Amino acid sequence: MTLPARNLLAEEASPYLQQHSDNPVHWRAWSPAALAEAKESGRPILLSIGYAACHWCHVMAHESFENDTVAAVMNRLFVNIKVDREERPDIDQIYMAALHAMGEQGGWPLTMFLTPDGKPFWGGTYFPREARYGRPGFIQVLEAVDKAWREKQQSLAESADGLTAHVEQRLAGAKGKAVLDRDTLADLAGRIDGMIDRDLGGLSGAPKFPNAPFMHSLWLSWLRDGQTAHRDAVLLSLEKMLAGGIYDHVGGGLSRYSTDAEWLVPHFEKMLYDNAQLVRMCNWAFAATGNDLFRIRIEETVAWLLREMRVDGGAFAASLDADSEGEEGLFYTWRQEEVEVALGDDATSFFRHFELAAPHGWEGKPIIRQSEAQQRQGVADYAEIAPLKAKLLAAREKRIRPGRDSKALTDWNGLMIAALAEAGRSLARPDWIEAAAKAFAHIVAAGKDDRLPHSMLGAKKLFPALSSDYAAMTNAAVALFEATGDPAYSDHAKRFIDQLDRWYQDSEKTGYYLTASDSGDVLIRIRGDVDEAIPSATSQIIEALVGLSSLTGDPDLWEKAWTTAEHAMGRATQQAYGQAGIVNACALALEPLKLVIIDKPDSSSLVPVANRNPDPRRIDIVVPVGAETNRPLLPGGVLPPTDRPGAWFCTGQACLPVVTDSAELEKLLRRG
């Protein structure tokens, strides 16, 4: 079939694709129809992958895709397909892996040239319209690719076949299972620890990302093996990034990464997933240290989330853009006189606690940050500076806001729902748990034929979901069950796993694919093993299976979790660092922790102890004294008595004697 010779993105559910609907380029969304058009025309595909908050995606759009001359060349030579990587991470991972296999560094926008049947033969990332930065101009690239395709089509097709086979082996292949042992996590954590910047936190060098999967590895190493150096590396990293410009000191929330080694100049886009993981990490850090810095940053970040990121129905938007009025960071940065106008006589107090910094080469206004001493003092003086932040926030609200990508992604929402439920328990914020429950209900209600969507934008929904969606929502359901005790959440979790098994499990029942079995528009059906800024789909699946099997005591579910973990580890051993999430999840499978508490709901002494001592390895189940329904099984099929308060703490298949004293339980749950 031949699609209309015009841009077809206006009706798409992705704000990123809609941003390109006025381009003179004849963009198509990724679809069977677009792929069929390429095959019928014999023209290669120009695939452009990006996302709404991506600064360099905007630059390339303004320079090239909005330019009539560039668009004319694109329309004449290629079938042009635009993909939102957040809507289709499966497609993004395939072609990003192909770019890496070519020896190129990845990033977005991703610009790939494909054969008419979708196989990659050449690519890059950002190309300027005119040659600069050591890169050729985009028209020059387009014409060179066209010339190569016309003159060397056979050899390019053979190269594309080989490259596709390589990517399939890496992303979809089976490597056999590996024995799960304690040394794997210890080895990974030791190698990550060797990469830590001891002065500035995070990994050495620049740019600096929060890198939650690596931080998780270090935290698990401390919890399990008592490696205090690994705990301290996480705490240092959190403290440094929370003082830097990567953290929004006025409005709360974390930007995606820092362009420098000091956490000062971020790419100012704010992603839902980064902030979900920040809330979780700060919750663990606050429990471990009692440092109010972490509590304050959780409260500020959740306030930002509920103020700026909620969409109709209660779910959460994907991201906020870096740019406003055509300038990166303009919304978030301040000149000294702007602060002084907003605060008046209080500006002196503000500048005791914060500084404005503008590094060499930065063309925008200065960025708010804190020194180490200012951060400590700011925690002590928070009652004094909170009203000043509120005044600056009110002044900032009058500015032209960055764009918001308002699509709700199921897996990212699952991460945030779990984080909100956990932090709500720890910090005694039932309103946060309620917000998590509302988001969860909205996503479940958006389902069709008992299947979840991957993405929602108003009434528009993208089906089918990915395996990461079912895993993240299972983990969210377990977290909400722990927070509320409502068995409806465990029922939801069971149904999610049933759907995961039906649509994503491999034929040998050793693991899961990222895409559903009825997803017919992918070149390769990949596993979803590789971490990005968030843990991989496979790692989230293992965590979900382990958590739900602990919750239910279902031995078949536990066997499935163990088999999935063994085979995932067999694949992960082929990678150096890209699959930390799998190692972390397998560590949970090795030593799952379960805490069953029987207590009086109106005068509980044991439940608050569990709430203020969160542990990512542990599933908590609370049952009212006297209850006979929904009584959880202890390992070995033992039912705990419910006639009096008590707590049973279990590791794997072994449970300690019942604990009835809150101080004793506190001692048991705290890592000394």
Side-chain angles (χ1 to χ4, degrees):
M1 64 181 295
T2 302
L3 294 172
R6 57 182 172 84
N7 188 307
L8 302 180
L9 300 184
E11 297 304 313
E12 290 299 316
S14 159
Y16 174 66
L17 297 186
Q18 290 178 6
Q19 287 173 5
H20 291 81
S21 63
D22 292 330
N23 295 169
V25 178
H26 295 167
W27 289 120
R28 286 83 172 85
W30 185 277
S31 67
L35 299 174
E37 180 186 15
K39 282 186 178 179
E40 287 189 19
S41 68
R43 284 184 293 165
I45 294 167
L46 192 165
L47 174 65
S48 177
I49 302 179
Y51 58 100
C54 166
H55 172 70
W56 286 103
C57 300
H58 298 326
V59 173
M60 190 165 178
H62 294 322
E63 290 179 348
S64 293
F65 304 148
E66 295 171 7
N67 181 276
D68 289 331
T69 302
V70 177
V73 178
M74 293 173 66
N75 296 336
R76 178 168 53 85
L77 301 180
F78 301 98
V79 172
N80 301 290
I81 298 181
K82 198 63 148 140
V83 167
D84 180 343
R85 69 173 297 259
E86 297 166 357
E87 273 198 333
R88 296 302 303 263
D90 49 346
I91 294 170
D92 178 59
Q93 286 188 34
I94 290 169
Y95 294 107
M96 188 64 75
L99 185 68
H100 289 154
M102 296 173 190
E104 298 290 331
Q105 187 172 356
W108 297 276
L110 177 61
T111 307
M112 293 295 291
F113 295 93
L114 319 179
T115 65
D117 57 356
K119 295 178 180 178
F121 63 86
W122 192 77
T125 53
Y126 161 77
F127 291 101
R129 187 172 70 207
E130 311 295 340
R132 63 179 187 275
Y133 310 130
R135 293 172 177 265
F138 194 46
I139 289 180
Q140 182 183 351
V141 168
L142 297 173
E143 291 176 341
V145 170
D146 171 65
K147 184 173 186 291
W149 178 252
R150 284 185 287 103
E151 296 178 358
K152 303 176 182 178
Q153 188 171 139
Q154 181 63 34
S155 64
L156 286 180
E158 291 172 359
S159 173
D161 288 342
L163 184 58
T164 302
H166 171 82
V167 170
E168 183 168 19
Q169 174 63 22
R170 180 169 181 267
L171 297 184
K175 303 289 194 305
K177 63 184 181 181
V179 175
L180 302 188
D181 61 55
R182 294 174 61 93
D183 293 341
T184 306
L185 176 66
D187 174 66
L188 174 66
R191 287 186 286 135
I192 293 170
D193 184 65
M195 300 160 65
I196 293 291
D197 184 329
R198 298 296 169 189
D199 296 319
L200 300 169
L203 301 186
S204 296
K208 268 187 167 32
F209 288 82
N211 211 319
F214 277 15
M215 295 299 111
H216 197 168
S217 297
L218 295 174
W219 198 257
L220 288 175
S221 173
W222 169 60
L223 288 173
R224 193 188 68 177
D225 298 329
Q227 292 281 3
T228 55
H230 295 173
R231 173 202 63 194
D232 293 346
V234 175
L235 296 176
L236 171 71
S237 299
L238 285 173
E239 289 168 6
K240 292 295 187 180
M241 74 175 74
L242 292 173
I246 190 175
Y247 183 77
D248 179 0
H249 291 277
V250 171
L254 199 69
S255 293
R256 195 166 76 89
Y257 69 96
S258 168
T259 60
D260 58 281
E262 298 181 0
W263 304 106
L264 173 57
V265 181
H267 265 313
F268 286 87
E269 62 264 37
K270 288 183 179 178
M271 316 302 292
L272 185 67
Y273 58 75
D274 283 323
N275 287 284
Q277 294 174 113
L278 177 72
V279 168
R280 261 196 120 188
M281 294 298 306
C282 284
N283 190 39
W284 303 339
F286 178 61
T289 65
N291 184 344
D292 280 329
L293 167 69
F294 301 118
R295 175 187 58 79
I296 289 167
R297 294 296 184 258
I298 293 171
E299 291 170 349
E300 291 176 340
T301 299
V302 174
W304 160 76
L305 174 80
L306 300 181
R307 183 181 68 245
E308 299 186 26
M309 299 300 283
R310 274 209 272 205
V311 300
D312 290 344
F316 302 108
S319 65
L320 295 179
D321 208 333
D323 301 5
S324 55
E325 301 180 68
E327 183 176 328
E328 185 183 11
L330 182 63
F331 182 75
Y332 298 102
T333 50
W334 298 80
R335 294 189 185 93
Q336 181 168 334
E337 56 268 28
E338 291 176 313
V339 175
E340 291 169 344
V341 167
L343 297 183
D345 293 341
D346 291 330
T348 303
S349 174
F350 181 82
F351 285 117
R352 279 202 310 271
H353 295 94
F354 298 92
E355 60 187 24
L356 296 178
H360 178 72
W362 172 245
E363 297 177 357
K365 294 185 292 185
I367 300 161
I368 296 175
R369 73 171 177 190
Q370 290 182 307
S371 67
E372 188 176 339
Q374 285 175 324
Q375 186 179 64
R376 282 197 303 271
Q377 194 61 43
V379 172
D381 297 344
Y382 195 71
E384 175 186 342
I385 65 174
L388 309 186
K389 288 188 173 191
K391 282 186 179 180
L392 285 181
L393 181 62
R396 195 174 80 178
E397 287 298 304
K398 298 173 184 176
R399 298 176 176 178
I400 296 174
R401 296 189 57 81
R404 184 177 81 165
D405 186 337
S406 294
K407 70 176 180 290
L409 294 163
T410 295
D411 48 358
W412 294 8
N413 269 265
L415 291 173
M416 183 57 85
I417 291 164
L420 273 179
E422 291 173 12
R425 287 178 62 204
S426 295
L427 301 184
R429 292 293 301 261
D431 54 325
W432 296 356
I433 298 170
E434 185 179 337
K438 187 173 183 180
F440 184 91
H442 177 75
I443 292 170
V444 170
K448 180 176 68 177
D449 300 328
D450 208 26
R451 298 179 73 174
L452 292 172
H454 172 61
S455 176
M456 296 147 277
L457 183 69
K460 296 176 180 176
K461 301 167 190 173
L462 180 68
F463 291 93
L466 302 168
S467 61
S468 56
D469 297 312
Y470 286 97
M473 285 295 284
T474 301
N475 289 322
V478 169
L480 281 167
F481 175 86
E482 292 178 289
T484 66
D486 186 343
Y489 289 115
S490 59
D491 292 340
H492 277 300
K494 293 171 191 172
R495 286 198 292 274
F496 293 152
I497 295 300
D498 287 343
Q499 292 296 309
L500 194 66
D501 287 347
R502 178 177 178 185
W503 297 105
Y504 303 89
Q505 195 170 37
D506 63 31
S507 57
E508 295 79 24
K509 297 188 176 181
T510 60
Y512 299 83
Y513 291 105
L514 182 60
T515 51
S517 56
D518 58 347
S519 295
D521 63 350
V522 287
L523 179 66
I524 301 165
R525 199 173 175 214
I526 66 176
R527 290 276 182 182
D529 287 344
V530 180
D531 298 329
E532 294 182 315
I534 57 177
S536 66
T538 299
S539 66
Q540 293 184 64
I541 290 168
I542 296 168
E543 182 182 352
L545 293 171
V546 170
L548 187 57
S549 65
S550 290
L551 187 69
T552 61
D554 183 341
D556 292 336
L557 202 54
W558 171 249
E559 184 63 32
K560 188 183 299 179
W562 188 259
T563 299
T564 303
E566 283 185 313
H567 284 83
M569 185 62 81
R571 300 191 301 272
T573 52
Q574 311 297 313
Q575 304 291 328
Y577 295 104
Q579 297 173 356
I582 287 176
V583 176
N584 297 341
C586 289
L588 303 184
L590 264 173
E591 294 174 310
L593 305 183
K594 181 172 182 172
L595 179 65
V596 175
I597 296 178
I598 312 295
D599 211 348
K600 299 174 182 176
D602 52 350
S603 59
S604 175
S605 63
L606 300 175
V607 173
V609 176
N611 287 348
R612 65 175 174 260
N613 288 287
D615 188 324
R617 305 169 298 169
R618 199 180 76 226
I619 296 296
D620 293 352
I621 305 172
V622 178
V623 180
V625 168
E628 290 300 324
T629 58
N630 299 312
R631 209 169 12 150
L633 289 172
L634 300 177
V638 176
L639 282 168
T642 63
D643 57 339
R644 61 188 181 279
W648 286 262
F649 184 68
C650 308
T651 303
Q653 295 301 304
C655 294
L656 296 176
V658 63
V659 174
T660 57
D661 178 71
S662 59
E664 187 180 348
L665 182 61
E666 184 98 40
K667 184 178 178 182
L668 185 64
L669 297 184
R670 288 193 71 81
R671 158 57 82 177

